[in-house]
Amino acid sequence: MKKITIAIDGFSSCGKSTMAKDLAKEIGYIYVDTGAMYRSVTLYALRHELFDADNQVKVDMLEKEMSNIHISFKFNNETGRPDCYLNGELVEKEIRSLEVSNHVSPIAAVPFVRQALVAQQKLMGQEKGIVMDGRDIGTTVFPDAELKIFVTADSKVRAQRRYDELKQKGMPAEFDDILKNVEERDYIDTHREVSPLKKADDAITLDNSHMTIAEQKEWLMKQYQKAAGC
Ligand SMILES: Nc1ncnc2c1ncn2[C@@H]1O[C@H](COP(=O)(O)OP(=O)(O)O)[C@@H](O)[C@H]1O
Ligand SMILES: Nc1ccn([C@@H]2O[C@H](COP(=O)(O)OP(=O)(O)O)[C@@H](O)[C@H]2O)c(=O)n1
């Protein structure tokens, strides 16, 4: 069967990676979580004090450091999804902290950061057979993707999902802080100059506020079957 490219974009914490990862597993495609890449650059920036006292990115210093930041993925047989590594260190847990979430959108708005990560993402998708999720996949990374999905959900529902997830992982979390973070990131992501978050003209919108994980999985599988002609 012909391999296609699947781009899943949308607002923060609405279930993009859950549905992308499940679909990729089921159809034997590679899955790439591009948010993990922006989060890894952010973790590096936090560890190397590349934010000033007002939480502004020290852009000149970050630019000098970019050649020292290497992000890779390795498939984890236990979870059935790829884990993200920063300079060879497994950082899956660290990059999901609220501290990283609170700093990631300004990092993701820096043009040279996007340029470097988008170039890496395009290479990963050269052979097709890939499901990639993020904010600019259908608009910038793979504008010719055969299937583009744009996911959204009510911000309170999204914050609750993220809150439940952090609690379950035993990580500190307050619902109001998460809601604020989700809404702030949505604002920065949709308003930045370089490839802002927006629905591609040919993307299919999914509002999953009232859908279960199983329902959205089934919906996505149907979209894939239509797009791949099977
Ligand atoms: N339809 C859904 N109903 C309830 N929880 C969901 C649903 N979809 C995803 N989740 C949960 O919400 C959280 C955020 O999902 P995730 O896939 O990480 O979102 P995103 O990739 O859009 O940030 C995860 O804990 C996930 O298990
Ligand atoms: N393709 C992408 C992916 C993420 N990002 C940025 O990275 C942040 C974290 O992405 P994510 O997908 O991990 O976020 P969640 O929705 O999982 O919370 C986003 O809020 C964006 O600022 C981006 O700019 N472009």
Side-chain angles (χ1 to χ4, degrees), residues 68-93:
N68 297 322
I69 304 178
H70 302 286
I71 299 160
S72 55
F73 292 94
K74 226 187 276 172
F75 192 77
N76 179 328
N77 283 318
E78 261 172 47
T79 60
R81 62 178 288 177
D83 283 337
C84 187
Y85 288 76
L86 168 63
N87 293 335
E89 175 195 348
L90 175 64
V91 290
E92 268 302 319
K93 188 166 181 198

Side-chain angles (χ1 to χ4, degrees), residues 9 11-14 16-17 33-36 38-39 96 101 104-106 108 114 121 133-137 141 162 185 189 192:
D9 290 302
F11 292 96
S12 104
S13 312
C14 51
K16 300 180 299 298
S17 35
D33 171 2
T34 61
Y38 291 94
R39 286 173 176 274
R96 312 286 167 195
S101 297
V104 63
S105 286
R114 300 206 71 80
Q121 291 154 10
D133 84 73
R135 302 293 186 285
D136 60 340
I137 313 306
V141 182
R162 188 61 89 207
R185 276 198 290 139
D189 292 346
R192 69 179 172 229

Side-chain angles (χ1 to χ4, degrees), residues 39 42 95-106 162 181 185:
R39 286 173 176 274
T42 306
I95 59 174
R96 312 286 167 195
S97 71
L98 191 54
E99 195 192 11
V100 170
S101 297
N102 280 334
H103 289 85
V104 63
S105 286
R162 188 61 89 207
N181 171 258
R185 276 198 290 139

Side-chain angles (χ1 to χ4, degrees), residues 152-165:
T152 182
D154 179 85
S155 59
K156 288 200 177 68
V157 171
R158 292 187 277 130
Q160 186 65 47
R161 289 175 182 170
R162 188 61 89 207
Y163 173 82
D164 293 343
E165 178 188 326

Side-chain angles (χ1 to χ4, degrees), residues 15-28:
K16 300 180 299 298
S17 35
T18 303
M19 58 199 286
K21 173 194 69 181
D22 283 352
L23 177 70
K25 199 173 169 186
E26 194 132 343
I27 64 178

